[in-house]
Amino acid sequence: MIMQSNTHKTTSNVMVAHMDTMKTFLMMQRDIMLAALGEEQAQLHTPSPQTFPVADKTSAVSYPEPQVVAYSDGFHTEAVPNSYSKRNGTAENLTNRNGHGHHPPIVQTVQLVPAPSKPVTKEHPAPATQGLVDQPAIMDALVNIVAESTGYPSEMIEPDLDLEADLGIDSIKRIEIVSVFQEQYPNLLTDEGMDDLIECKTLAEIVDFVAEQQAVGARVNFKRGGTDAPQHNYPFIRTITRFRANDLCEAQTILSYQGNRLLSNHTLGRHIACLDQTQHGLPIMPMTGTLEMLAEVTALVAVDQYIVGIKGATARGWLTVAGERAVRLLAQRVNATEIAAQLFVQEGANTKTIAEATFIVAEQYPQPASDLLPRAATPQPVEWASGSLYAQTGMFHGRGLQGVRSIDHLDADGLEATVVVLGRDELVTHATDTEMVLDPLFLDQLAQLSGFWGLKTFTPQTMVLPFHIEQLSLYRPMPAVAANEETRCIAQIRQSPNARTSADIDVWLPDGSLWLTVRGWQGRHFAMPQQLYEFCFMRRKTTRLSACTEDGQQTIDPADFPTAFFSSGGGIWCDVLAYVVLTAVERQSWWQLNLPPPHKLVWLLRRIVAKELLCRHLFVQEQLELAPADVLLTGDGVEFRPKILDEQARTLPTIIVSQQ
C-alpha cells in the first residue's frame, strides 16, 4: 500500500509538471502566431465549451456551426469538428452499415483556413528532377559502413555476398548499417524506401534499389512518348517512353536470341546436341552489347554532339537471355560534356541494374593521347596458328565474333594482335537500314585479347569475362575503316587482386593513325575444372562428366564439381552446365527451381549421370551417338523415364539413380 501511495504521488507530480510545461509552450506558441498575423495586441477569445450529444444508434447527428475564434489579416481561425460537412448547417450522416452511429468527438480541432474575402494563393514550384545516383560511390560508402560495423577488411566485402549467410549480419545489425547509410545520404530515399532497403540481401541489391528509386523519382513531369521523341534508326531502341530534348531519354527494347548476332555468337557452351544442331549454350549479352544499347539511348540525348569517350562502365550482372527479355534504358545529362546511362531488367518483383556508364560527349573528336603503349622490342609469337585461334584454344565465341586474326606477340606483360573489323550487317534482323553508335563486334574482340592472354598465363581452362572499363577514348568515329580491314592492337595486361585482370589497349588503323585507347578494362577470370571445360567448350565425343565402373554402373563424383567454383559469378556456371545438358523442356523446370545453389547442383548431377548412362548404353548396343541434351528425362529424381528427342517408337529402360 505504501508503495502504491508513493507511486501515485510521484505520478501526480510528474503530470502536474508536464501540464505546466505544456501551458508555457502553448502561451509561447500563441504569442508567436499572433505576432506573425500582425495582431500582437489581439486577445484570444475562447468560446464557451461545446458539448456534443451522443449519437443515437439510428439517427443522424447535428452539430452547431463552428465558432470563429480569431480573425486577422485575411485568415480566420475556425473550430472544425471531425467529419464535419456543411450542408445547411448540419453534419454528414455518420450511420455505419449496421445502422450504428459513430460517437462524435469531444475535443474540437483548430486549423487555419483562407478567408473568403481575401483569398491567398501560394505558388508550388514543380519538384526538382532527381538525377542518376553515383552507384560506385554508393557501393564504396556501403562497403566502408559494413567494414566499420563488422570488422571485416573492405577488400573482402564483395557486392554479391549474402549479408546474413556470408557476412553474418543479422537483422539488427542490418538496421544499424542502414541507419548509418541514411545519415550519410539523408535525401536519397523516403522512410518507406528505407524499410524496403533493410530487406535487401546483398550490397548489390541495395545499390540497385537506390538507383531504381532515384530513377522513379526522375519520372516527374516528363512527356511519355509523343511527338517530341526523335526519329532514329538505332538497332536496339524499340520504344521511346520518355524524352526531354537534350536532357533525358528512356527507352525499351526486347532482346531475343533469334536474329541477334551478338547473342547467337556469345553462348557459354557449344556443340550441345547431336540430333538437333540448333540447340545452343546459355546466351549472354556481351558487355560491349550493353554498351551499344547505352550508347544508343545516350545519342538521343546528345544533340549535335559526338560520343568521344566512356568512363566508369560497369556490368553489375549477367544479361542472360532465355527466350525473350525486356530491357529498360535510361540516359540523363549530367553536364555539358557528360551523360549518365543505365540498363535495367525486371527479375520477379525487383528491378535490377545490369549495366551503367558515363558517356563523354563533345562537338568534335579530341586529339590523340600522348601516353601510348610501346611495342614489344622482341616479339614472342605463340604456337596458335593464324586463322584457327578459336578452334585451337576453345574460346567460346561463334563465327560472327571471331575477328582476332593472329596473336603476334604474347608475354607475361601483355600481347600484340591483328584484329579485323567485322561487317556489321544484320546485327539485329528485326532492324533494317540501321546504324550503330559504337561497334560492339570490334569492341568485343578487344575484350577477347585478355581471354587469349589468360589461356597462356593461367591455365588452358581459364575464362576471362570483362565487367568494367575505367576509360575508353575515341579519336575517330566507329567504324573508322571498312569491313575486313585489319587493325594493330597493343595490350598491356596485368593481374589484379580477387581473380581479376586489367588491360590497357591501343588500337592503330592501317594508315598508322590512332583510333581508340582503353584504360583499365577489367575482367574476372574463372579457373574451370578441366573435364568441365572440355565438356562445355571442346565437346569431343568421348568427353563425359561421369565414369563407368567395372560392374557397368555409371557414377559421378561431386568432388569434381567444386562448390566454390559453381557459387562464383553469382551461380552463372550452374546455369551454363544446365544449358549444356538439359533439353528445352527441362530448362523450364531448371529456371523454376527454388533451391539453394548446392541443392540445385545435386539436382543437375543426378540427371547428368542418368543421361550419360543411357548415352553409353545406346552407343554400345546400337552405335548411336547422343549427347545429354538429346535425352529428355521425366521422373521424381530417383527413378527416371528417358525419351530421345524426335523419336516416338523406341522403348528405353527406366533409370534409377541412388546416392552411395
Side-chain angles (χ1 to χ4, degrees), residues 133 135 138-139 142 160 197 200 202-215 316-317 342-344 347 351-356:
V133 298
Q135 293 194 37
I138 296 293
M139 179 60 72
L142 285 169
D160 293 323
L197 203 65
C200 294
T202 67
L203 295 184
E205 288 184 11
I206 292 177
V207 173
D208 291 340
F209 180 82
V210 172
E212 172 60 11
Q213 292 299 303
Q214 288 292 289
R316 297 197 172 277
Q342 292 175 294
L343 185 151
F344 305 96
E347 292 190 351
T351 300
K352 183 176 181 180
T353 304
I354 291 293
E356 61 191 6

Side-chain angles (χ1 to χ4, degrees), residues 35-75:
L37 294 173
E39 292 287 332
E40 298 184 16
Q41 305 300 322
Q43 299 295 321
L44 182 63
H45 301 287
T46 305
S48 57
Q50 297 282 340
T51 60
F52 299 95
V54 177
D56 182 77
K57 291 184 179 181
T58 57
S59 63
V61 181
S62 297
Y63 295 97
E65 285 287 327
Q67 299 285 329
V68 174
V69 179
Y71 179 85
S72 173
D73 197 23
F75 286 89

Side-chain angles (χ1 to χ4, degrees), residues 274-275 539-544 548 554 610-628 630-631 644 647 650 652-653 655:
C274 296
L275 298 180
R539 203 66 182 97
R540 300 183 179 93
K541 292 184 178 181
T542 57
T543 304
R544 299 293 185 199
C548 179
Q554 203 80 10
K611 291 186 176 205
E612 291 197 341
L613 173 62
L614 181 67
C615 291
R616 180 174 62 85
H617 170 77
L618 292 176
F619 182 75
V620 172
Q621 297 295 324
E622 306 178 26
Q623 298 299 302
L624 178 61
E625 180 70 32
L626 294 177
D630 294 315
V631 179
I644 299 176
E647 290 194 13
R650 185 186 299 269
L652 298 173
I655 303 173

